[in-house]
């Protein structure tokens, strides 16, 4: 990771404008001084802290309480594990977890491997690197409604370009989003197109940091292309690779927008119902905040391990 | 830095290597252009086609019918001016809030070192570990009835602006940058009687322009791309963002008009990207990984 470069010399100019006045802290003891210093410092902090308190810390605590409460007509009652039981007994529960897991596995197969291969290939070129980088990152900048509806047209069984392409290759046409067996794969493909740019650029930056001598040494040992990738490229980028893996597991387990916009959330026979879509349904279609919170808590517990591993690894990377 | 990569220069210099290099290069450039630019080209060009031509198979590469009126119609029928205005208002408001409050917080944590500063930073960073979607429900309930002041922020820009400040990643990025500004410089200014505010304004901010640029771009693009949160907190059609507005109107308009609307909604972020791509790329790699 490149450290930010600084040119502090410019800052010297500001001294000219500074009015000369005697430091105000000369009177009073060190206690008053430290109090004043702390008041100023907390004054600068207070705005952000209030926002965090209202929209992050308080909701965190509230999520936990919600999971064990029932709210009906403004009346809040403690129901213990009832919400969890509701969630567990919902026939959609296991299907949602299966779908989410399938999405995560497919998304990793594409979204994890493809950007890495793309980065390796781009890194080998001596021309057009800027153009290729730009292309890969382009979809990341599109608003999700635009890219998702775009894919809806590409998948259209009537006039969609994807079926045109299959026809051109002599393959049978598919009902991409309407076929329960294909719908999740279709969502993954769209999601990969939309999101792979960020990962590819991070890998590219990591690849540029590999010392060339390592490849030379490997060649002297008679290593071919794939052995060089296996014994040099991958070990040298191991930390970034594992961080990205953890991050993508955390992100893909929370998938919502893509299936929501592509298939309306549930999809054919519930084949694209994800855990987060189920949370959304409990909270905003059934007004059952307790069940939504209970399911959210399950997701949180499952992902906590990945988050902890991520924090531990990124500390290691910082040092 | 060495430019030596996987394939050795000697291998490349051989005739066979050269042929292979240019073959792969052409294939990759062609393939990428088709995959990433192709759908975008289809989007923009289809916006000019008439209703029959859009759904014709095989699709026409160059529009045979030319109806720029689709864009005009999308603009009028879907009230894009209003949606665009709303989105700009939310995005730049969020940018202002993040620049003022997050920069102040990062400056305080980095240079003023208040009591409990480390603990506060730790609690901010801890929010990165909680899956964002888990917090959507309690956050929504908070917006419905903000504790203590007891206000309902639904359908107000505050519902977008205030939560956007809780970007621990931004604060972390800014703090790391501020940490690298030499303390002696600030001490000297302080000796001359400059207040902390003055030091922030005249010394810290001018040298932090690169990181402020990166944070600003991501702040604007973040609001522009967000979908679920504005969908929940801005149910009034007159208050919606482009994303949500187009989504809710998407079933009632002809395909070619909708495609034109999607093109219009995509243009601002695409332009931001083309203009600031250098800053965005450096921000992605300097910031390392997004939590």
């Amino acid at each position: 990771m490149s450290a930010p470069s600084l040119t502090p010399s410019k800052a010297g100019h500001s001294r000219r404008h500074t009015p000369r006045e005697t430091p105000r802290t000369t009177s009073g003891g060190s206690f008053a001084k430290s109090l004043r210093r702390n008041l100023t410092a907390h004054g600068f902090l207070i705005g952000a802290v209030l926002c965090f308190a209202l929209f992050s810390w308080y909701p965190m605590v509230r999520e936990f309480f919600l999971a064990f409460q029932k709210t009906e007509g403004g009346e809040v009652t403690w129901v213990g594990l009832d919400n969890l039981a509701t969630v567990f007994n919902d026939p959609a529960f296991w299907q949602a977890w299966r779908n989410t897991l399938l999405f995560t596995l497919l998304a990793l197969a594409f979204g994890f491997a493809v950007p890495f291969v793309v980065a390796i290939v781009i890194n080998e070129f001596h021309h057009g690197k800027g153009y290729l980088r730009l292309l890969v990152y382009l979809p990341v900048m599109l608003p999700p409604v635009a890219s998702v509806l775009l894919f809806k047209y590409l998948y259209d069984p009537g006039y969609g370009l994807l079926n045109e392409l299959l026809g051109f290759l002599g393959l049978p046409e598919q009902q991409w989003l309407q076929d329960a067996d294909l719908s999740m794969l279709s969502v993954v493909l769209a999601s990969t197109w939309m999101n792979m740019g960020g990962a590819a650029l991070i890998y590219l930056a990591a690849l540029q940091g590999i010392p060339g001598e390592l490849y030379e040494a490997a060649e002297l040992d008679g290593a071919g292309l794939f052995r060089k990738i296996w014994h040099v490229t991958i070990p040298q980028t191991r930390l970034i690779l594992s961080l990205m893996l953890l991050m993508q597991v955390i992100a893909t387990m929370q998938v919502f927008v893509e299936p929501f916009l592509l298939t309306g959330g549930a999809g054919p026979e519930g084949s694209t119902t994800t855990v987060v879509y189920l949370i959304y349904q409990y909270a905003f279609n059934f007004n059952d905040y307790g069940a939504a919170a209970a399911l959210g808590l399950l997701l949180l517990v499952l992902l906590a391990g990945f988050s902890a591993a991520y924090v531990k690894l990124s500390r290691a990377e910082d040092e | 830095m060495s430019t030596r990569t996987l394939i050795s220069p000697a291998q490349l210099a051989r005739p066979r290597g050269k042929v292979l290099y240019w073959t792969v290069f052409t294939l990759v450039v062609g393939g990428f252009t088709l995959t990433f630019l192709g759908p975008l080209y289809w989007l923009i060009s289809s916006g000019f086609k008439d209703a029959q031509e859009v759904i014709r198979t095989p699709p026409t590469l160059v529009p045979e019918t030319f109806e720029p009126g689709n864009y005009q119609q999308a603009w009028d029928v879907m009230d894009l001016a209003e949606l665009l205005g709303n989105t700009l208002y939310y995005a730049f408001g969020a940018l202002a809030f993040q620049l003022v409050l997050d920069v102040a917080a990062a400056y305080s944590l980095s240079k003023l070192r208040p009591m409990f500063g480390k603990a506060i930073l730790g609690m901010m960073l801890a929010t990165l570990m909680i899956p964002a979607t888990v917090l959507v429900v309690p956050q929504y309930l908070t917006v419905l009835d903000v504790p203590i002041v007891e206000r309902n922020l639904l359908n107000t820009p505050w519902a977008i602006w205030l939560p956007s400040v809780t970007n621990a990643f931004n604060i972390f990025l800014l703090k790391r940058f501020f940490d690298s500004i030499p303390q002696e410089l600030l001490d000297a200014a302080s000796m001359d009687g400059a207040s902390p505010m003055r030091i922030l304004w005249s010394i810290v901010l001018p040298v932090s322009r690169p990181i402020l640029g990166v944070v600003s771009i991501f702040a604007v693009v973040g609001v522009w791309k967000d979908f679920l949160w504005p969908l929940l907190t801005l149910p009034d059609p007159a208050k919606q963002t482009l994303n949500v507005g187009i989504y809710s109107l998407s079933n009632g308009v002809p395909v070619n008009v909708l495609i034109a609307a999607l093109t219009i909604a995509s243009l601002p972020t695409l332009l931001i990207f083309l203009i600031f791509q250098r800053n965005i790329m450096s921000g992605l790699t300097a910031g390392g990984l997004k939590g």
Side-chain angles (χ1 to χ4, degrees):
Chain A
M1 296 293 110
S2 63
S5 68
L6 278 172
T7 46
S9 55
K10 268 191 256 167
H13 294 300
S14 61
R15 280 176 70 176
R16 222 180 13 205
H17 308 292
T18 313
R20 295 225 169 229
E21 51 174 309
T22 47
R24 278 161 298 172
T25 44
T26 42
S27 60
S30 67
F31 173 74
K33 213 164 150 184
S34 130
L35 187 70
R36 179 194 290 278
R37 200 178 60 87
N38 260 304
L39 277 179
T40 329
H42 281 115
F44 275 93
L45 254 182
I46 190 77
V49 164
L50 278 179
C51 287
F52 268 93
L54 267 183
F55 293 102
S56 290
W57 299 330
Y58 172 62
M60 273 179 185
V61 177
R62 197 162 179 195
E63 157 76 19
F64 186 79
F65 282 102
L66 274 175
F68 303 101
Q69 290 172 339
K70 190 135 219 123
T71 319
E72 256 165 335
E75 195 88 6
V76 177
T77 41
W78 194 262
V79 295
L81 297 177
D82 277 12
N83 288 326
L84 270 176
T86 310
V87 169
F88 265 111
N89 291 327
D90 187 339
F93 179 80
W94 294 110
Q95 192 181 21
W97 282 102
R98 259 200 314 275
N99 289 340
T100 305
L101 210 65
L102 177 65
F103 179 88
T104 301
L105 289 176
L106 285 173
L108 285 184
F110 291 99
F112 186 63
V114 173
F116 189 58
V117 173
V118 162
I120 288 181
V121 172
I122 293 181
N123 197 40
E124 286 312 309
F125 292 142
H126 302 285
H127 316 77
K129 260 188 198 166
Y131 172 69
L132 290 173
R133 253 189 347 209
L134 190 123
L135 280 186
V136 175
Y137 200 70
L138 211 55
V140 180
M141 297 300 283
L142 291 178
V145 170
S147 21
V148 164
L149 290 182
L150 173 63
F151 264 84
K152 230 174 163 169
Y153 293 126
L154 297 183
Y155 283 137
D156 192 281
Y159 55 87
L161 279 180
L162 258 118
N163 275 344
E164 283 297 314
L165 194 72
L166 287 187
F168 181 74
L169 297 171
L171 297 166
E173 295 191 349
Q174 302 293 338
Q175 303 276 317
W176 298 96
L177 294 170
Q178 289 73 24
D179 181 341
D181 294 327
L182 262 182
S183 55
M184 196 50 114
L185 180 72
S186 309
V187 173
V188 172
L189 285 178
S191 175
T192 306
W193 186 84
M194 287 163 65
N195 300 316
M196 67 172 275
L201 292 192
I202 288 172
Y203 292 143
L204 202 53
L207 289 177
Q208 278 159 2
I210 300 177
E213 300 85 62
L214 293 177
Y215 290 120
E216 274 162 25
E219 271 156 25
L220 288 179
D221 290 342
L225 182 63
F226 290 103
R227 296 195 51 174
K228 275 190 275 185
I229 293 177
W230 186 251
H231 290 291
V232 179
T233 314
I234 291 177
Q236 284 290 313
T237 47
R238 205 188 63 231
L239 206 53
I240 295 285
L241 283 174
S242 38
L243 277 174
M244 293 298 285
L245 183 68
L246 288 171
M247 208 176 75
Q248 289 193 15
V249 170
I250 297 171
T252 51
M253 289 290 286
Q254 299 181 63
V255 65
F256 171 81
V257 173
E258 289 93 337
F260 183 75
L261 289 173
L262 271 175
T263 62
E269 298 163 42
S271 59
T272 64
T273 303
T274 61
V275 173
V276 175
Y277 177 66
L278 211 54
I279 294 179
Y280 171 87
Q281 268 205 319
Y282 280 130
F284 304 108
N285 291 346
F286 313 147
N287 279 319
D288 189 346
Y289 297 121
L295 188 54
L297 215 53
L298 285 179
L299 186 65
L300 175 68
V301 169
L302 189 85
L303 291 182
F306 289 102
S307 291
Y310 178 80
V311 169
K312 217 173 159 185
L313 267 178
S314 43
R315 283 235 180 88
E317 192 221 14
D318 257 2
E319 273 149 23
Chain B
M1 201 201 296
S2 152
T3 49
R4 171 72 169 82
T5 50
L6 259 179
I7 295 158
S8 71
Q11 242 176 332
L12 265 184
R14 272 178 230 138
R16 211 174 76 97
K18 267 187 194 155
V19 171
L20 210 62
Y21 174 86
W22 285 110
T23 319
V24 174
F25 183 74
T26 317
L27 282 177
V28 168
V29 169
F32 275 39
T33 307
L34 214 65
T35 325
F36 293 105
L37 227 45
L40 279 184
Y41 172 76
W42 182 84
L43 192 73
I44 295 171
S45 66
S46 294
F48 287 110
K49 296 174 183 172
D50 71 15
Q52 274 89 49
E53 198 190 345
V54 168
I55 54 170
R56 190 189 302 169
T57 51
T60 44
L61 201 58
V62 180
E64 283 169 10
T65 49
F66 183 69
E67 293 199 2
N70 293 338
Y71 284 91
Q72 181 68 44
Q73 210 184 328
W75 188 263
D76 295 338
V77 173
M78 304 187 83
D79 241 335
L80 287 189
E82 189 175 39
L83 295 178
L84 193 71
N86 289 345
T87 314
L88 281 169
Y89 184 47
Y90 300 139
F92 283 93
L95 169 65
F97 270 89
Q98 284 184 52
L99 278 184
V100 173
L101 298 182
D102 286 354
V103 164
Y107 172 61
S108 173
L109 290 169
S110 168
K111 293 302 183 195
L112 304 177
R113 310 277 174 99
M115 224 186 271
F116 310 119
K118 280 218 165 106
I120 292 174
L121 181 67
M123 278 170 67
M124 286 176 171
L125 292 178
T127 61
L128 290 176
M129 287 179 61
I130 305 291
T133 47
V134 168
L135 287 188
V136 162
V137 174
Q139 272 173 340
Y140 174 75
L141 293 176
T142 306
V143 168
L144 276 189
D145 181 14
V146 179
I148 302 161
V149 290
E150 297 187 348
R151 288 276 172 77
N152 182 344
L153 300 184
L154 225 56
N155 285 322
T156 68
W158 301 102
I160 306 289
W161 292 341
L162 295 181
S164 82
V165 174
T166 65
N167 190 331
F169 182 71
N170 268 355
I171 293 180
F172 177 68
L173 263 189
L174 290 164
K175 182 187 174 286
R176 252 204 345 198
F177 197 93
F178 293 164
D179 282 345
S180 68
I181 301 174
Q183 185 67 40
E184 301 86 65
L185 203 67
L186 309 192
D187 288 343
S190 174
M191 293 282 225
D192 285 352
S195 65
M197 188 66 212
R198 169 113 220 162
I199 294 175
L200 171 63
W201 186 255
S202 318
I203 301 179
V204 174
L205 289 185
V207 297
S208 306
R209 242 176 274 152
I211 197 73
L212 292 176
V214 167
V215 168
S216 303
I217 294 166
F218 284 131
V220 170
V221 173
V223 173
W224 209 277
K225 285 192 60 182
D226 204 2
F227 178 76
L228 177 59
W229 186 247
L231 176 75
L232 296 175
T233 56
L234 305 165
D236 178 359
K239 302 276 171 64
Q240 278 169 352
T241 61
L242 270 172
N243 262 330
V244 179
I246 291 180
Y247 161 74
S248 36
L249 292 171
S250 62
N251 284 325
V253 288
V255 174
N256 50 346
V257 174
L258 181 59
I259 289 175
L262 295 179
T263 308
I264 295 174
S266 310
L267 279 179
T269 41
L270 282 183
L271 283 180
I272 290 182
F273 177 51
L274 292 177
I275 297 169
F276 296 109
Q277 51 146 320
R278 215 167 278 277
N279 308 54
I280 292 175
M281 306 277 181
S282 73
L284 265 178
T285 45
L289 302 155
K290 219 169 139 180

